[in-house]
Amino acid sequence: MPISVAPLYAGLLGVLLLVLSYRVSMYRRHHGVSLGDGGHKGLHTAIRVQGNFVEYVPTALILLILLELSGRQSWIVHGLGAALFLGRVLHAQGLTANPAGKSFGRLAGILLTWLMLLVSAVLLVLGAVAGI
């Protein structure tokens, strides 16, 4: 069964990871730091934004792919993929704008990411157990 929706979001998220990784590399180059953050707050924040991305996105993409492979309607997969992508963009923007504390982007981003994970997991469990 070919899939077409999840690869769209995998590709978009792959590009976003490259952007976040590039930011870390540019900070490292600017400050001459190859390991750690060298005590530079901007570099520390960029590292955490990238790190948070790689902590959540692989599992979320696996769930998204499994949902599509299990035959879920494409609008559900699109909705969950869009929530994940928007959540990761908002989180990166929010944490970058206010690394020391709260921001709308950071909160909205993590909530969208968690909601995507929760809904995806529940749909997969229901599909496996009850055929829903």
Side-chain angles (χ1 to χ4, degrees), residues 51-118:
N52 190 275
F53 183 96
V54 300
E55 290 164 3
Y56 283 100
V57 170
T59 299
L61 280 176
I62 290 168
L63 295 174
L64 199 65
I65 291 165
L66 289 172
L67 282 170
E68 190 165 8
L69 287 172
S70 72
R72 287 288 170 188
Q73 297 92 331
S74 64
W75 68 268
I76 292 174
V77 181
H78 270 297
L80 292 167
L84 177 62
F85 182 73
L86 179 60
R88 295 292 80 206
V89 169
L90 286 171
H91 184 270
Q93 179 277 329
L95 188 54
T96 300
N98 191 1
K102 300 173 186 172
S103 71
F104 169 79
R106 186 176 183 188
L107 177 62
I110 198 62
L111 289 177
L112 278 171
T113 301
W114 286 351
L115 182 63
M116 181 275 176
L117 289 167
L118 176 64

Side-chain angles (χ1 to χ4, degrees), residues 2-17:
I3 62 173
S4 60
V5 178
L8 168 65
Y9 296 99
L12 290 171
L13 289 159
V15 170
L16 182 54
L17 177 58

Side-chain angles (χ1 to χ4, degrees), residues 23-54:
R23 289 182 63 232
V24 172
S25 294
M26 290 300 97
Y27 271 108
R28 288 190 183 286
R29 183 173 177 213
H30 176 76
H31 294 294
V33 177
S34 61
L35 292 174
D37 62 21
H40 299 281
K41 287 187 176 220
L43 176 55
H44 176 78
T45 300
I47 291 168
R48 281 310 311 137
V49 168
Q50 180 197 38
N52 190 275
F53 183 96
V54 300

